[in-house]
Amino acid sequence: SGFEHKNPGKMRFTGGYMRRKLFLVPIILGLLQFGAFAQSFDRITQILDAKEINAGQLSYLAATYLNVIDERSDEKAAFDKLKEMGYFDDSFSADSPVSLKKVCAVFARAADIKGGFMYRLTKKSERYAYKEFLARGYIPVNSDPSMHVSGANAVALFNSILEENSK
């Protein structure tokens, strides 16, 4: 005569047992998300505190924005992904310091900046990404394209770009 459960009292979904279990699901998910958020927050803090941003840190900012890595990934994984996508050549490693013009090139490509004629003609070269950012006022006129950039300045630059692009 069909399937009969040995303890039919536990099969009721209207009882407190099941409601308590379902109540815990959002709490557990929230704690897991908080753990990921805390890890991501620590990584951003390290980037902000960097005297000179390196290729791995730069990659982490761009790759998380592009959603091509999980924000719990490390800088090496972010760098490897962006290198695979053509953002870096073999002369770079995740620990390599990067110039302002490289920061501009990575951010311009990640934010899909259309740019001017020379930028497009040179296939989004670092030099013309830098000049594009000068023209748009993202970076000071007296900046040196070969200078190294602090983490805080890199984050502020990326914020400016994304803010303008969202308009």
Side-chain angles (χ1 to χ4, degrees):
S1 77
F3 178 80
E4 290 182 15
H5 194 271
K6 292 186 193 236
N7 189 353
K10 289 239 178 179
M11 291 294 290
R12 282 186 250 135
F13 293 107
T14 57
Y17 174 78
M18 194 63 173
R19 272 186 291 207
R20 280 192 303 270
K21 284 231 180 221
L22 289 175
F23 176 74
L24 290 176
V25 170
I27 293 171
I28 291 169
L29 289 175
L31 289 173
L32 289 173
Q33 286 178 339
F34 178 75
F37 172 77
Q39 186 177 7
S40 171
F41 182 75
D42 286 344
R43 190 166 322 282
I44 296 296
T45 301
Q46 289 171 349
I47 292 171
L48 286 169
D49 290 343
K51 288 184 181 184
E52 293 181 353
I53 195 166
N54 64 35
Q57 294 165 326
L58 177 62
S59 296
Y60 181 81
L61 293 173
T64 52
Y65 170 74
L66 292 168
N67 224 8
V68 295
I69 62 161
D70 185 272
E71 61 186 41
R72 290 172 291 190
S73 298
D74 63 10
E75 294 162 2
K76 172 87 169 81
F79 173 78
D80 290 343
K81 184 63 178 176
L82 260 57
K83 185 175 178 184
E84 174 188 312
M85 294 171 68
Y87 281 73
F88 295 95
D89 60 28
D90 289 337
S91 68
F92 283 93
S93 71
D95 295 329
S96 298
V98 289
S99 66
L100 176 57
K101 68 181 177 181
K102 184 62 172 181
V103 171
C104 292
V106 169
F107 286 164
R109 185 168 169 192
D112 197 27
I113 300 288
K114 301 300 179 220
F117 176 73
M118 289 303 293
Y119 177 68
R120 291 189 312 271
L121 182 69
T122 60
K123 298 181 180 161
K124 303 179 180 183
S125 76
E126 292 177 11
R127 177 180 181 195
Y128 285 100
Y130 169 79
K131 289 183 178 249
E132 184 68 31
F133 282 21
L134 275 174
R136 290 177 180 226
Y138 293 146
I139 53 180
V141 176
N142 62 348
S143 63
D144 177 0
S146 63
M147 70 186 256
H148 295 274
V149 181
S150 73
N153 285 339
V155 170
L157 174 60
F158 202 34
N159 254 354
S160 297
I161 296 161
L162 298 178
E163 187 177 306
E164 176 134 336
N165 271 0
S166 69
K167 292 179 183 178

